[in-house]
Structures are given as structure tokens and as C-alpha cells.
């Protein structure tokens, strides 16, 4: 693969995470020093059905926030990453840059981090979000040769992790001290302590690492809510690769798709049954391949030099649609994972919490779950591929089963409450009947004595005066009880 040169190789790194408490715009504001709301992505989403598009854009078009829809933010133009990355090339390596002379198995690639690609996509109602930015492999100089496919696969593998011992290093290609010292500010005032700080860090000479950038970008959110990652220190990469010429070897082609979607390097040898697995591959046109797994996704534009230029350009320009479909899939997966965490924390005896959760699930299901997303078949097919490999249907089914159990518990609770109220009502009726019986006996006795009107009565007459009201009272009580039944 090191003889196959690539015209374009871009990796969009996605980092889904949850906020440990409910999103409150007044706590941090919908904007801060690093992030600002944007509507720049609305035209890119025109391929979506209107209700799907609204899931992303409703809060960009309205002053009143819909918590079930997303908030999309971009980097503030005055922020440090914009100043660091704008039109500047960086070196990416697997070794600290002050150890390169004696380093073994050294990897070193020229890359460009596009400041315009940075996005923070938040779903306030679910309190989940995705951090997104891209890194492109480029020429290190104008006269250098194109990068090769082998380098791109290794770059994808190198970037898969952060906050680990094998995390990548980056440093400005411009060796001037004032240029390289800019990265030191990543660990300055906007350092939330999300990651353990290395006391021996020498960013100017060793280089900075992705965790420094993440800590800077999520500083305000982490301080306000505490950020928790779904995948433990793993990025989910979405790759776009366009060879300089068509790859005609099917084995090379399918190996490329495997390594990029599974985020492996050449130390892993794929089984032949895995390479062309239909559940992970979608090939709608001769020149274009879509591939997806739980770890990542890839779009391969395999145009040849003989293909018309507009075809090559068309597939490149359509990649943002694939990227947003992948973002949608990961956002849905994050929402389900968050809901499953919440349902596991619910006390089944707390009926108010159960009711709130069921209402919460219903709201998110109505606003965030879609069977079809576009009027174009290739986008629906790719979305189906993404959904399948992110196991969204399985997560939804598992959650519905748990909700079914919660419903059963709530129904049982309701039946128990009805039974308890009926028992209380019966006890109340019994007491009331006793009172009525006693009162009726005394009342009829008094009436009897008044009718007889005698002050001196025989024993038999006294017995009749008291016995007749008692008998009538018993009959009256039995009539009330019968009618109650």
C-alpha cells in the first residue's frame, strides 16, 4: 500500500460524551470564549427530510430553544486553536519530537487541522454531545510527493486514542519558538484538570497531545457539568480517502476498507470472511465505497484518471452528507446509552421518577428516532448501514424491554393503589353502617316509646320497644350492604 498515493486523506475525529447533570444554558450560556452558535451547516443538511433536518437546525433558526433538538457550535474566531491551526501544517508522530534521532519504529506525517471543521453538537434534553474536528494528511512541502495509503492507515490508527501512553504527539512544522510556544497555552488557564497532568511536559520540544486540545475545548462544559466519555479515551474516526488513481486490486481495496473502518494497523490480519462482509459494506456506484463498523466509518472515492472530473468532484463534495449521517447515528447511539444509564439508576418504587423517565423517553423518541432520513436512496442505505453497525436497533429494543418492565411495575403499583383505596373505602363503609345502625336503633326506640306514650311498661313491652328497632336496623344494614355489593 505504500506505492498507492492518495490525493485526499481526511480523518474526522468524533468524541461522544455525556454531561453528568442536566444542561442549563444559564449555567454556561449557550456560547462562551471558545464556542459560538452557528447556522453555517444548514445548507449542508438540505439532503435530509425536513423533520430530520430540524433535529439539527431548529435551535439555529429559532430564538426559543427546543431542548429535544441539537445546538451546533463552531470555534470562536478569537480562540487559540484558530490562531494555532489556520493555514499551518503540523507534524504528527508516535514519538516525542525531542527523541526522534534514536527512536525506533518512528512514524511522522505532515497534517493540517482545519479550524473550520471544529464543531460541538449538543442535545440539551438528553445531556449528550459530540466533539468533532478533522485532520488531513498533506504534503510537507510544495515539491514533496503525495502521501501514500499505508501512511494514511497508520495515521488513522495512531489517532484512535488519547490520554494513553501511546497517544500521538503534534508540533508545528514552523520551528520558530514563538510558533511552537503557542501550544503551551493549551495547558494554561483553560485547563480543567480533566486529565492527569504530566509534570515533565515540555510541549515546545516534545510536542502537544490530543488530550491537551480536548481539555481546552471542553473546559467550560467540564467545569459546569463534568464531562464523561462514552468510549473510554477513544475517538470514533470517519475517514474520506481518494487515491490519486483507481485501486484495481480487490484485495488491496477491501483491506483498506477493513483497516480504516475497524481502526487497525498492519499488525492485525483480517480473516477473508470479514473483508467483504455485507453488513459493513455499501457499494452503490463503481467508484464509491461506504464502509462502517462500531469503531469507525470510511468513504472511499476510487475514481480513475479516465473518469470525468465532475464525477471525482461530485463524490468528494458529497462526503459531508455521509459525515452528518454518521454524526446522526452516533448522536442517536449516545442518546440511547444515556437513557439506559438513567433507567438503571431509577428507583422502581419512586413512581414520580418513573413517570418522568417515561415522558422523557417518549419525547426523545418522537424527536430523535428516524426510520428514513432522506429522499435519496444512497443516503438512506448508508444511514441503515451506520445504524446497524452502531447497534441502534438493538439498543432501542433493550431499552423498550426495560421500559416494558417499568410499565408493568407502574401498572402493578396502580392496581395496588386501587385495591388499597377500595379496602379503605370498605372499612369506611363498615364504620358508617355501624354508626347508622346505632343511630337508627336509638332513633326508633325513642319513636316507639313516644308512640306508646306510657311511663310504666311491662317487661314484654320494653322488649318490643327495643327489639323492633334493632331488627329494623339489622334489615336496614343488610339492605345497604347488598346494594354496595
Amino acid at each position: 500500500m505504500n506505492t498507492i498515493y492518495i490525493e485526499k486523506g481526511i480523518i474526522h475525529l468524533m468524541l461522544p460524551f455525556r454531561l453528568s447533570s442536566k444542561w442549563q444554558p444559564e449555567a454556561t450560556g449557550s456560547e462562551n470564549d471558545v464556542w459560538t452558535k452557528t447556522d453555517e451547516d444548514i445548507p449542508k443538511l438540505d439532503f435530509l427530510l425536513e423533520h430530520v433536518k430540524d433535529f439539527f437546525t431548529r435551535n439555529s433558526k429559532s430564538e426559543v430553544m427546543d431542548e429535544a433538538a441539537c445546538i451546533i457550535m463552531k470555534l470562536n474566531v478569537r480562540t487559540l486553536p484558530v490562531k494555532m491551526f489556520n493555514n499551518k501544517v503540523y507534524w504528527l508522530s508516535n514519538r516525542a519530537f525531542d527523541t526522534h534521532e534514536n527512536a525506533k519504529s518512528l512514524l511522522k506525517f505532515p497534517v493540517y487541522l482545519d479550524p473550520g471543521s471544529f464543531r460541538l453538537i449538543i442535545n440539551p434534553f438528553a445531556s449528550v454531545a459530540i466533539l468533532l474536528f478533522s485532520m488531513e494528511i498533506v504534503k510537507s512541502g510544495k515539491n514533496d510527493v503525495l502521501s501514500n495509503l499505508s501512511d494514511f492507515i497508520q495515521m488513522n490508527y495512531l489517532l484512535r486514542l488519547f490520554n494513553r501512553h501511546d497517544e500521538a504527539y503534534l508540533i508545528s512544522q514552523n520551528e520558530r519558538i514563538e510558533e511552537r510556544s503557542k501550544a503551551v497555552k493549551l495547558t494554561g488557564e483553560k485547563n480543567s484538570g480533566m486529565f492527569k497532568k504530566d509534570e515533565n511536559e515540555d510541549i515546545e520540544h516534545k510536542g502537544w497531545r490530543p488530550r491537551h486540545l480536548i481539555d481546552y475545548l471542553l473546559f467550560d462544559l467540564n467545569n459546569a457539568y463534568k464531562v464523561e466519555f462514552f468510549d473510554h479515551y477513544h475517538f470514533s474516526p470517519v475517514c474520506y480517502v481518494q487515491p490519486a488513481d483507481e485501486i484495481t486490486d480487490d484485495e488491496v481495496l477491501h483491506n483498506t476498507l477493513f483497516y480504516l473502518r475497524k481502526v487497525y494497523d498492519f499488525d492485525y490480519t483480517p480473516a477473508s470472511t470479514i473483508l467483504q462482509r455485507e453488513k459493513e459494506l455499501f457499494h452503490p456506484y463503481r467508484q464509491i465505497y461506504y464502509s462502517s463498523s462500531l469503531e469507525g466509518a470510511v468513504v472511499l472515492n476510487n475514481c480513475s484518471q479516465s473518469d470525468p472530473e465532475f464525477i471525482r468532484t461530485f463524490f468528494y463534495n458529497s462526503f459531508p452528507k455521509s459525515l452528518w449521517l454518521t454524526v446522526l447515528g452516533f448522536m442517536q447511539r449516545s442518546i440511547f446509552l444515556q437513557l439506559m444509564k438513567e433507567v438503571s439508576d431509577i428507583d422502581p418504587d419512586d413512581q414520580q421518577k418513573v413517570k418522568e423517565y417515561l415522558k422523557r423517553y417518549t419525547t426523545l423518541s418522537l424527536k430523535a428516532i428516524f426510520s428514513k432520513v432522506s429522499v435519496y436512496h444512497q443516503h438512506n442505505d448508508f444511514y441503515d448501514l451506520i445504524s446497524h453497525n452502531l447497534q441502534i436497533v438493538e439498543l432501542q429494543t433493550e431499552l423498550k424491554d426495560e421500559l416494558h418492565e417499568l410499565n408493568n411495575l407502574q401498572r402493578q403499583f396502580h392496581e395496588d393503589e386501587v385495591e388499597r383505596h377500595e379496602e379503605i373505602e370498605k372499612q369506611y363503609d363498615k364504620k358508617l353502617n355501624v354508626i347508622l345502625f346505632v343511630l337508627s336503633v336509638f332513633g326508633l326506640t325513642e319513636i316507639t316509646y313516644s308512640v306508646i306514650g306510657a311511663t310504666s311498661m311491662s317487661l314484654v313491652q320494653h322488649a318490643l320497644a327495643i327489639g323492633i328497632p334493632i331488627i329494623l336496623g339489622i334489615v336496614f344494614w343488610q339492605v345497604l350492604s347488598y346494594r354496595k355489593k
Side-chain angles (χ1 to χ4, degrees), residues 389-404:
N389 287 294
L390 293 181
Q391 301 170 343
I392 291 174
V393 174
E394 288 87 343
L395 290 172
Q396 187 176 16
T397 301
E398 182 178 347
L399 187 59
K400 282 183 176 179
D401 289 343
E402 295 188 14
L403 291 176
H404 180 69

Side-chain angles (χ1 to χ4, degrees), residues 200-258:
N200 297 319
E201 283 181 338
D202 182 5
I203 287 178
E204 292 181 24
H205 299 95
K206 290 185 176 182
W208 57 273
R209 312 187 86 172
R211 71 170 182 266
H212 298 136
L213 178 61
I214 294 168
D215 202 2
Y216 180 93
L217 295 172
L218 301 183
F219 172 83
D220 292 296
L221 281 178
N222 189 58
N223 277 355
Y225 305 103
K226 188 183 178 184
V227 167
E228 299 175 357
F229 302 113
F230 287 105
D231 297 321
H232 195 62
Y233 304 139
H234 274 74
F235 285 113
S236 297
V238 184
C239 302
Y240 174 83
V241 58
Q242 181 176 333
D245 202 357
E246 182 181 10
I247 300 174
T248 57
D249 188 326
D250 283 347
E251 184 178 356
V252 172
L253 190 66
H254 288 288
N255 271 286
T256 299
L257 294 170
F258 168 82

Side-chain angles (χ1 to χ4, degrees), residues 146-336:
L146 294 171
S147 299
N148 62 60
L149 188 56
S150 176
D151 287 346
F152 186 68
I153 290 172
Q154 289 177 305
M155 170 183 162
N156 186 52
Y157 181 72
L158 177 59
L159 287 171
R160 78 199 186 284
L161 300 171
F162 61 94
N163 197 38
R164 294 270 296 268
H165 70 280
D166 51 352
E167 183 180 11
Y169 290 87
L170 293 107
I171 201 167
S172 174
Q173 196 180 67
N174 188 330
E175 297 181 1
R176 290 186 303 167
I177 190 66
E178 59 268 25
E179 193 63 40
R180 291 191 170 181
S181 62
K182 288 180 182 178
V184 177
K185 297 178 182 177
L186 289 174
T187 61
E189 59 184 32
K190 282 198 174 295
N191 187 305
S192 63
M194 193 184 306
F195 310 113
K196 185 177 179 181
K197 192 170 183 179
D198 185 356
E199 298 298 330
N200 297 319
E201 283 181 338
D202 182 5
I203 287 178
E204 292 181 24
H205 299 95
K206 290 185 176 182
W208 57 273
R209 312 187 86 172
R211 71 170 182 266
H212 298 136
L213 178 61
I214 294 168
D215 202 2
Y216 180 93
L217 295 172
L218 301 183
F219 172 83
D220 292 296
L221 281 178
N222 189 58
N223 277 355
Y225 305 103
K226 188 183 178 184
V227 167
E228 299 175 357
F229 302 113
F230 287 105
D231 297 321
H232 195 62
Y233 304 139
H234 274 74
F235 285 113
S236 297
V238 184
C239 302
Y240 174 83
V241 58
Q242 181 176 333
D245 202 357
E246 182 181 10
I247 300 174
T248 57
D249 188 326
D250 283 347
E251 184 178 356
V252 172
L253 190 66
H254 288 288
N255 271 286
T256 299
L257 294 170
F258 168 82
Y259 285 125
L260 291 176
R261 74 174 179 262
K262 294 289 191 181
V263 201
Y264 287 153
D265 69 358
F266 301 114
D267 290 336
Y268 300 86
T269 303
S272 57
T273 54
I274 296 293
L275 287 178
Q276 299 185 46
R277 181 182 286 179
E278 290 184 1
K279 293 180 179 179
E280 296 185 348
L281 185 64
F282 173 48
H283 185 200
Y285 305 106
R286 180 182 64 82
Q287 303 97 330
I288 196 80
Y289 291 82
Y290 299 92
S291 192
S292 169
S293 74
L294 184 59
E295 293 81 10
V298 56
V299 177
L300 193 153
N301 182 354
N302 195 34
C303 286
S304 68
Q305 294 290 349
S306 60
D307 285 319
E309 183 60 29
F310 84 88
I311 287 291
R312 299 166 65 87
T313 306
F314 170 78
F315 287 131
Y316 171 70
N317 291 334
S318 69
F319 172 70
K321 298 179 176 64
S322 306
L323 175 63
W324 277 103
L325 288 173
T326 311
V327 170
L328 175 60
F330 272 91
M331 179 61 76
Q332 291 174 322
R333 176 178 171 82
S334 300
I335 288 173
F336 277 123

Side-chain angles (χ1 to χ4, degrees), residues 12 15 26 51 69 73 93 99 117 134 156 184 191 217 219 235 244 248 290 296 321 390 395 399 423 434 467 470 475:
H12 289 263
L15 182 59
E26 61 271 15
H51 66 288
M73 299 188 188
S93 180
T99 65
S117 70
S134 74
N156 186 52
V184 177
N191 187 305
L217 295 172
F219 172 83
F235 285 113
T248 57
Y290 299 92
K321 298 179 176 64
L390 293 181
L395 290 172
L399 187 59
E423 185 62 30
V434 169
I470 291 176
V475 171

